[in-house]
Amino acid sequence: MMSNPLVFGLLILITVGLNTLAQTLMKLGVGTHPLNIYLLGGVCSYGLSTIFYVLVLAKLNLSVAYPIVIGLTIVVTTISGAFILREKVLISQWLGVGLLLSGIAAIAFAKNAENFK
């Protein structure tokens, strides 16, 4: 299962998606009753993302997996904040997102190039 790059990429995307979902749900749940469906959903999403992240760690070095997963989570969470939560995201923040994407690409391409040696 893990030798298929498409399946592995999907595991990374699921981890990122669940992390982003958790962040978004927690933001929606802030300021209401301490035990609400948004906060509970956020905690559950974090739990599920941890399970998928462990599967990612089984295949990738931590020095590669962590920056890719966390970096992509920052990118997707910023997009979620802008479009779902209607938060204002400044141009400088979008520039930071672009820099993050270039860093993630550098890490991923370096790892990919290592596999072809």
Side-chain angles (χ1 to χ4, degrees), residues 10-20 49 52-53 56 69 73:
L10 186 60
L11 287 174
I12 290 174
L13 292 178
I14 290 170
T15 302
V16 169
L18 287 168
N19 270 327
T20 299
S49 74
F52 283 98
Y53 185 57
V56 170
V69 169
T73 298

Side-chain angles (χ1 to χ4, degrees), residues 45-106:
S45 294
Y46 269 132
L48 286 173
S49 74
T50 300
I51 293 168
F52 283 98
Y53 185 57
V54 167
L55 295 174
V56 170
L57 287 176
K59 182 70 174 164
L60 272 182
N61 290 341
L62 180 63
S63 62
V64 175
Y66 187 78
I68 290 174
V69 169
I70 297 305
L72 286 175
T73 298
I74 293 169
V75 169
V76 180
T77 301
T78 302
I79 293 167
S80 172
F83 293 103
I84 295 173
L85 301 175
R86 303 284 185 208
E87 296 176 347
K88 182 175 176 150
V89 179
L90 303 174
I91 299 269
S92 58
Q93 291 170 284
W94 289 119
L95 178 61
V97 166
L99 290 170
L100 269 170
L101 287 171
S102 65
I104 294 165

Side-chain angles (χ1 to χ4, degrees), residues 1-13:
M1 171 181 129
M2 294 296 276
S3 60
N4 185 338
L6 291 177
V7 172
F8 186 62
L10 186 60
L11 287 174
I12 290 174
L13 292 178

